[in-house]
């Protein structure tokens, strides 16, 4: 089996694993320059990733649209045609006409398909909107089973559940008729999807989950961690990535992607669009691509439409092609960044394709999680805090903090540090006893002199 790590032909594979206790080897690979890809799909393919778009069935007859889509993209999402209202307009009467047009177009052009979406509080057919309790739960599970069975073998990844978390500071679930059937509705949907199509990757998909410090991101992270620990079949997390000036690409995007990946799931950018124009838009797109390329298990990027005029928010000109189908500056920056490759931090032990990431082999039975959070910032330096959480009862822990050149750690507190010869990797051990019982946390802090590099450090934890 090809591990995600081995698929990447470019870049230095570093040892730091952000967020969770995973032991990995440092391997520096000298890789010959490859021919630059001249399309998004070719350039993304250089590192084993896909580049996709959302397609609307009724636009496929527009030859400008379908020519661009066919040339540039190799992963296709139906923008609306696989949603619950489209595929089950009347209870137990399924309708796949428009969805099939997209799936057939994709497959006949050698492309793969992301399924979007099996269960969602929105875009429910009228008959479902007024249901509740057991009958709604059963109708939802029947929908998941029927649709995933119909498309069995044709779907790369399914958005099994879409947008189930609340915005704002609660970090909890969104209220909806589905949520009111019981908190286990999400895992029930995943189990039904796995039974119906065992080979599709099963994703949880949401928006406003890009910034690692946001409560919603943490809420989804905790759910995925819980699912992985209990064997609920989840393979991937989709980050919709709808950005605009009020919700810009966060500087810690790579941290978010890396931390989720370290839970043992793939991460995918599923609905990318960024309102704006010119070089500022281009730079933000570049940042998203860079973040994905820096995470081995970020397996692909999908933009939410082809031309600006095809977008659900066309007035914000958020896509890579203008209304006439011309490539925008954002297109060029994405293509160039894909061709430039990135530094890939492995998120798993390469000898273990699907490890339980919280149980590293050399350090004994316990496991812990390290989470970085930003502290105060000054012109020349910033503070950071690492929170160590014991996942099981542990008798001790150690945590690594890797900073990126020219950064230097110039002060620490609440721990006992040592450094490797490069000075980039600090190993922090507890000052006193490191014993923690399951669920308990402790933290330490440090100051980084950043030398102009504001990137967040990567952190790991291992326990004994
Ligand atoms: O809202 C942006 C996206 C957020 N994440 C989930 C995605 O599924 C969602 O996509 C958008 C589509 O881009 C829109 O095209 O979802 C909207 C609501 O489902 C879609 O809008 C709908 C309109 O509400 C309908 O009135 C219209 O008939 O598009 C339909 C087809 O054009």
């Amino acid at each position: 089996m090809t591990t995600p790590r081995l698929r990447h032909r470019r870049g230095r594979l570093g040892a730091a694993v952000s967020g969770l206790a995973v032991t990995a080897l440092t391997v520096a690979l000298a890789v010959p320059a490859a021919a630059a890809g001249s399309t998004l799909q070719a350039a993304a393919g250089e590192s084993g990733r896909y580049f996709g778009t959302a397609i609307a069935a009724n636009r496929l007859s527009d030859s400008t649209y379908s020519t661009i889509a066919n040339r540039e993209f190799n992963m296709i999402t139906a923008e609306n045609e696989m949603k619950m209202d489209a595929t089950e307009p009347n209870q137990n009467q399924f309708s796949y006409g428009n969805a099939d047009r997209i799936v057939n177009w994709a497959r006949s052009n050698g492309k793969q398909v992301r399924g979007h979406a099996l269960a969602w509080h929105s875009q429910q057919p009228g008959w479902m909107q007024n249901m509740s309790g057991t009958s709604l739960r059963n109708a939802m599970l029947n929908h998941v089973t029927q649709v995933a069975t119909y498309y069995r073998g044709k779907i790369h990844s399914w958005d099994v559940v879409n947008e189930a978390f609340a915005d704002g500071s609660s970090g909890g679930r969104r209220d909806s008729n589905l949520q009111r059937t019981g908190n286990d509705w999400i895992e029930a949907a995943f189990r039904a999807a796995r039974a119906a199509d065992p080979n599709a990757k099963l994703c949880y998909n949401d928006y406003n989950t890009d910034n690692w410090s946001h409560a919603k991101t943490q809420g989804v992270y905790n759910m995925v961690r819980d699912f992985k620990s209990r064997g609920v079949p989840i393979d991937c997390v989709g980050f919709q990535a709808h950005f605009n000036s009020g919700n810009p690409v966060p500087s810690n995007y790579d941290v978010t992607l890396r931390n989720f990946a370290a839970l043992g799931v793939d991460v995918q950018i599923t609905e990318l669009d960024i309102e704006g124009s010119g070089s500022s838009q281009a730079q933000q797109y570049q940042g998203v691509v860079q973040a994905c390329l820096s995470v081995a298990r970020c397996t692909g990027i999908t933009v939410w439409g082809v031309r600006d005029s095809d977008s659900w928010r066309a007035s914000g000109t958020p896509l890579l092609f203008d209304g006439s189908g011309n490539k925008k500056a954002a297109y060029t920056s994405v293509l160039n960044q894909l061709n430039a490759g990135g530094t890939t931090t492995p998120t798993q032990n390469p000898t273990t394709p699907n490890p339980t990431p919280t149980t590293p082999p050399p350090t004994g039975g316990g496991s812990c999680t390290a989470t970085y959070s930003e502290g105060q910032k000054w012109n020349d330096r910033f503070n950071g805090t690492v929170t160590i959480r014991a996942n099981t009862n542990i008798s001790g822990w150690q945590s690594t903090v890797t900073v990126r050149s020219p950064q230097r750690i110039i002060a620490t507190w609440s721990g006992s540090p040592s450094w490797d010869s490069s000075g980039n990797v600090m190993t922090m051990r507890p000052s006193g006893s490191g014993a923690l019982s399951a669920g308990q946390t402790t933290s330490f802090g440090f100051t980084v002199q950043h030398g102009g590099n504001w990137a967040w450090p990567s952190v790991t934890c291992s326990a004994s």
Side-chain angles (χ1 to χ4, degrees):
M1 173 178 173
T2 308
T3 67
R5 186 164 184 249
L6 297 177
R7 284 206 311 267
H8 297 288
R9 306 200 334 240
R10 291 159 177 266
R12 193 178 75 84
L13 304 182
V17 180
S18 181
L20 282 179
V22 179
T23 304
L25 304 171
T26 303
V27 183
L29 294 181
V31 184
S38 61
T39 63
L40 299 171
Q41 56 168 316
E46 288 170 28
S47 64
R49 293 178 171 87
Y50 65 79
F51 209 98
T53 187
I55 288 288
N58 62 8
R59 293 181 199 266
L60 279 173
S61 54
D62 171 340
S63 67
T64 307
Y65 178 85
S66 56
T67 300
I68 298 171
N70 197 13
R71 184 185 70 217
E72 299 289 341
F73 304 102
N74 59 355
M75 182 68 72
I76 300 301
T77 307
E79 186 172 358
N80 290 297
E81 294 77 353
M82 285 191 185
K83 293 175 181 176
M84 299 176 100
D85 57 351
T87 49
E88 195 179 357
N90 301 299
Q91 187 165 15
N92 252 321
Q93 286 180 6
F94 291 85
S95 162
Y96 296 112
N98 282 330
D100 281 348
R101 286 175 63 196
I102 293 176
V103 172
N104 293 339
W105 179 85
R107 288 168 59 81
S108 65
N109 286 298
K111 303 176 190 313
Q112 293 185 281
V113 177
R114 289 195 84 262
H116 173 78
L118 291 171
W120 190 16
H121 69 275
S122 181
Q123 301 298 114
Q124 291 181 0
W127 61 266
M128 187 182 268
Q129 289 174 24
N130 298 319
M131 288 178 85
S132 63
T134 308
S135 54
L136 172 60
R137 172 67 70 93
N138 290 337
M140 180 275 287
L141 292 175
N142 181 55
H143 180 88
V144 170
T145 300
Q146 297 294 327
V147 177
T149 301
Y150 180 82
Y151 283 113
R152 174 164 39 207
K154 296 182 174 175
I155 303 294
H156 173 280
S157 300
W158 265 116
D159 292 333
V160 177
V161 170
N162 198 37
E163 301 177 2
F165 276 74
D167 292 312
S169 58
S170 80
R173 298 283 182 87
R174 172 196 296 279
D175 180 48
S176 73
N177 60 348
L178 290 168
Q179 181 61 29
R180 289 191 292 271
T181 69
N183 207 47
D184 62 343
W185 75 275
I186 298 181
E187 60 196 85
F190 274 85
R191 292 188 203 282
R194 178 69 98 224
D197 187 351
N199 293 323
K201 285 183 183 287
L202 304 183
C203 305
Y204 176 78
N205 190 52
D206 213 329
Y207 65 92
N208 282 355
T209 48
D210 311 288
N211 191 320
W212 178 243
S213 63
H214 283 180
K216 188 171 175 181
T217 310
Q218 293 297 313
V220 175
Y221 177 84
N222 288 332
M223 178 187 75
V224 176
R225 183 171 62 189
D226 171 55
F227 280 11
K228 292 301 285 183
S229 74
R230 290 189 296 111
V232 176
I234 184 167
D235 307 304
C236 37
V237 176
F239 296 82
Q240 293 185 8
H242 294 294
F243 296 112
N244 57 25
S245 55
N247 177 36
V249 180
S251 60
N252 59 17
Y253 206 12
D254 62 323
V255 175
T256 303
L257 299 177
R258 191 168 295 117
N259 285 347
F260 273 86
L263 291 175
V265 289
D266 288 347
V267 294
Q268 304 173 356
I269 292 173
T270 54
E271 305 182 11
L272 176 61
D273 55 14
I274 307 176
E275 290 187 328
S277 61
S279 59
S280 121
Q281 182 182 48
Q283 266 173 19
Q284 293 198 67
Y285 263 104
Q286 183 186 1
V288 173
V289 174
Q290 219 165 17
C292 179
L293 292 180
S294 78
V295 178
R297 291 194 76 160
C298 182
T299 58
I301 299 175
T302 295
V303 289
W304 204 237
V306 178
R307 300 162 299 194
D308 284 337
S309 49
D310 303 315
S311 169
W312 66 294
R313 44 182 188 175
S315 62
T317 61
L319 293 172
L320 301 178
F321 295 87
D322 70 18
S324 310
N326 300 310
K327 295 170 180 174
K328 295 167 57 180
Y331 173 94
T332 308
S333 72
V334 168
L335 186 73
N336 289 346
Q337 187 60 51
L338 290 170
N339 279 320
T343 305
T344 296
T345 304
T347 51
Q348 59 182 36
N349 184 329
T351 59
T352 315
N354 283 304
T356 304
T358 50
T359 314
T363 48
S367 90
C368 56
T369 305
T371 309
Y372 177 76
S373 52
E374 280 185 303
Q376 234 182 312
K377 293 174 190 161
W378 296 269
N379 283 343
D380 60 337
R381 63 198 196 282
F382 60 82
N383 283 352
T385 302
V386 174
T387 302
I388 302 295
R389 180 184 185 275
N391 299 316
T392 58
N393 292 339
I394 61 176
S395 54
W397 55 265
Q398 67 179 54
S399 173
T400 65
V401 176
T402 305
V403 296
R404 300 178 219 187
S405 176
Q407 295 174 338
R408 277 283 175 275
I409 296 177
I410 55 169
T412 72
W413 53 95
S414 308
S416 175
S418 57
W419 273 268
D420 77 341
S421 54
S422 75
N424 291 334
V425 184
M426 173 180 75
T427 300
M428 185 66 99
R429 295 184 175 80
S431 304
S433 160
L436 295 171
S437 50
Q440 252 190 326
T441 60
T442 186
S443 60
F444 63 88
F446 50 88
T447 302
V448 176
Q449 188 164 48
H450 57 66
N453 184 350
W454 287 92
W456 282 19
S458 311
V459 297
T460 71
C461 187
S462 59
S464 51

